[in-house]
């Protein structure tokens, strides 16, 4: 693997050296699975299941950290079976859904989730009127249990509809005491107080990470990348991988240590990581 800057190569070498004390966190959509018009059809790259098992053999733990509900990620990624295989080998695997509000592990095999946030039902009742107001009646409304996501990708002018929708949704979310999470042609409304940065910090503490690599593709991953920067200042070997697929947010790419081209690039990167961990004696 070739890195443009010597600093990036040094960060990667430190992550590889962390070996059995390394934690790997991975976003789902745009990172393990391609971005598609129908989010119910976003299946992971075909190499992902076996690759996650190989990776888990060589590190402290592997986690999928996603804005999706855990059960969706499990189904679309065949992650239940992945968790079984990893756990049977004595390794650690977790799926953190809805930005860390939900948790499932290969050992416990049940979804731990809080109640839906106060105000979400009221916001949902307003959604049809909000969409009419910004001429986005046909936007796809996805109920996630703990959140509501409004997708404009299927509309004739998806970017224009998104730009009109975002401020209106933001105002409504504020009135209902909710947080917003903008993404690529989607805006999600959910409970405040949890984000991927907190999820990453929790994993690092639980699994006693001395190294942490995280790959993501969208604005929801900014907090995770920021947390890696803080961890690095505390002496943890970290590396942030931006899976942009050609249209990722510039805010995330600016925080990234290395950029790859979508799920194909993530798979290529992780395959090389497995090889280099073996070369450094990381297989246990």
């Amino acid at each position: 693997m070739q890195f443009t800057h010597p600093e990036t190569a040094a960060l990667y070498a430190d992550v590889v050296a962390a070996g059995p004390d390394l934690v790997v966190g991975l976003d789902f959509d745009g990172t393990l699975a391609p971005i598609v018009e129908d989010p119910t059809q976003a299946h992971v790259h075909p190499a992902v299941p076996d690759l996650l098992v190989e990776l888990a053999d060589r590190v402290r733990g592997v986690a999928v950290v996603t804005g999706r509900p855990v059960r969706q990620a499990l189904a679309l990624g065949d992650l239940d079976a992945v968790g079984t295989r990893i756990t049977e080998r004595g390794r650690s695997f977790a799926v953190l859904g809805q930005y860390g509000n939900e948790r499932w592990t290969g050992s416990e095999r049940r979804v731990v989730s809080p109640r839906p946030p106060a105000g979400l039902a009221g916001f949902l009742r307003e959604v049809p009127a909000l969409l009419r107001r910004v001429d986005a009646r046909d936007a796809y409304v996805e109920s996630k249990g703990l959140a509501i996501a409004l997708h404009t990708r299927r509309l004739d002018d998806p970017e224009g509809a998104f730009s009109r929708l975002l401020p209106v949704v933001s105002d409504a979310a504020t009135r209902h005491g909710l947080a917003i999470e903008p993404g690529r042609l989607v805006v999600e409304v959910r409970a405040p107080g949890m984000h991927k940065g907190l999820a990453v910090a929790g994993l690092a503490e639980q699994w006693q990470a001395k190294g942490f690599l995280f790959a993501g593709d969208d604005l929801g991953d900014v907090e995770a990348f920021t947390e890696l920067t803080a961890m690095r200042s505390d002496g943890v070997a970290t590396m942030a991988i931006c899976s942009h697929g050609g249209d990722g947010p510039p805010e995330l790419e600016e925080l990234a240590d290395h950029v790859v081209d979508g799920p194909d690039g993530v798979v290529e990167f992780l395959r090389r990581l497995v090889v280099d961990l073996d070369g450094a004696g990381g297989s246990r």
Side-chain angles (χ1 to χ4, degrees), residues 1-2 12 267-277:
M1 187 184 307
Q2 298 295 320
Y12 179 74
V267 165
E268 180 183 358
F269 180 91
L270 293 179
R271 280 175 171 158
R272 182 53 190 261
L273 178 61
V274 166
V275 171
D276 290 341
L277 286 169

Side-chain angles (χ1 to χ4, degrees), residues 175-196:
R175 283 190 281 104
H176 289 282
L178 302 168
I180 65 163
E181 192 72 62
R184 286 193 269 180
L185 302 180
V186 59
V187 56
E188 186 163 323
V189 177
R190 57 183 178 84
M194 175 55 75
H195 52 69
K196 289 188 181 182

Side-chain angles (χ1 to χ4, degrees), residues 28 39 79 84 96 105 109 126 128 177 199 201 264:
F28 190 91
L79 298 181
T84 296
L96 304 188
T105 64
R109 310 194 64 75
E126 285 192 36
D264 286 339

Side-chain angles (χ1 to χ4, degrees), residues 30-31 35 153 159 184 216-217 242-250 253 259-265:
T31 301
I35 299 293
R153 189 172 298 275
E159 294 183 357
R184 286 193 269 180
D217 78 308
C242 177
S243 167
H244 65 16
D247 61 350
E253 188 167 337
V259 178
V260 300
D261 189 11
D264 286 339

Side-chain angles (χ1 to χ4, degrees), residues 18-233:
D21 296 315
L22 176 67
V23 172
V24 177
L26 303 161
D27 176 41
F28 190 91
D29 293 279
T31 301
L32 297 181
I35 299 293
V36 295
E37 289 191 1
D38 183 353
T40 67
Q41 299 301 311
H43 297 282
V44 297
H45 187 291
V48 162
D50 288 341
L51 185 53
L52 294 185
V53 176
E54 290 183 53
L55 186 59
D57 268 346
R58 293 157 172 83
V59 299
R60 178 63 57 86
V62 175
V64 175
V65 185
T66 174
R68 283 184 179 271
V70 163
R71 289 183 177 87
Q72 282 187 8
L74 290 173
L76 291 170
D78 198 23
L79 298 181
D80 194 321
V82 170
T84 296
R85 293 168 63 190
I86 290 175
T87 303
E88 287 176 346
R89 300 159 78 96
R91 310 298 190 231
S92 296
F93 179 70
V95 181
L96 304 188
Q98 310 227 24
Y99 299 91
N101 277 309
E102 292 185 337
R103 184 182 183 92
W104 179 95
T105 64
S107 56
E108 295 182 354
R109 310 194 64 75
R110 64 187 181 91
V111 179
V112 179
S113 175
R115 294 178 180 273
L120 191 63
F123 171 80
L124 182 58
R125 287 192 292 270
E126 285 192 36
V127 166
L130 295 176
L131 296 180
R132 288 194 299 270
R133 189 187 311 173
V134 297
D135 193 23
R137 294 171 179 81
D138 295 327
Y140 175 58
V141 180
E142 180 186 10
S143 178
K144 297 185 172 185
L146 301 180
I148 301 295
L150 307 176
H151 300 258
T152 65
R153 189 172 298 275
R154 301 178 184 179
L155 302 182
D156 292 337
D157 179 19
E159 294 183 357
F162 177 79
S163 65
R164 296 191 302 272
L165 184 62
L166 183 58
V168 172
V169 169
S170 180
D171 289 344
T174 299
R175 283 190 281 104
H176 289 282
L178 302 168
I180 65 163
E181 192 72 62
R184 286 193 269 180
L185 302 180
V186 59
V187 56
E188 186 163 323
V189 177
R190 57 183 178 84
M194 175 55 75
H195 52 69
K196 289 188 181 182
L198 294 173
V200 163
L203 285 168
E205 181 178 3
Q206 180 188 359
W207 285 344
Q208 299 180 323
K210 294 182 181 178
F212 207 118
L213 183 146
F214 189 89
D217 78 308
D218 212 340
L219 291 174
D221 301 302
V222 165
E223 289 92 348
F225 282 21
T226 301
E227 177 61 25
L228 292 191
T229 300
M231 291 167 60
R232 188 179 301 166
S233 68

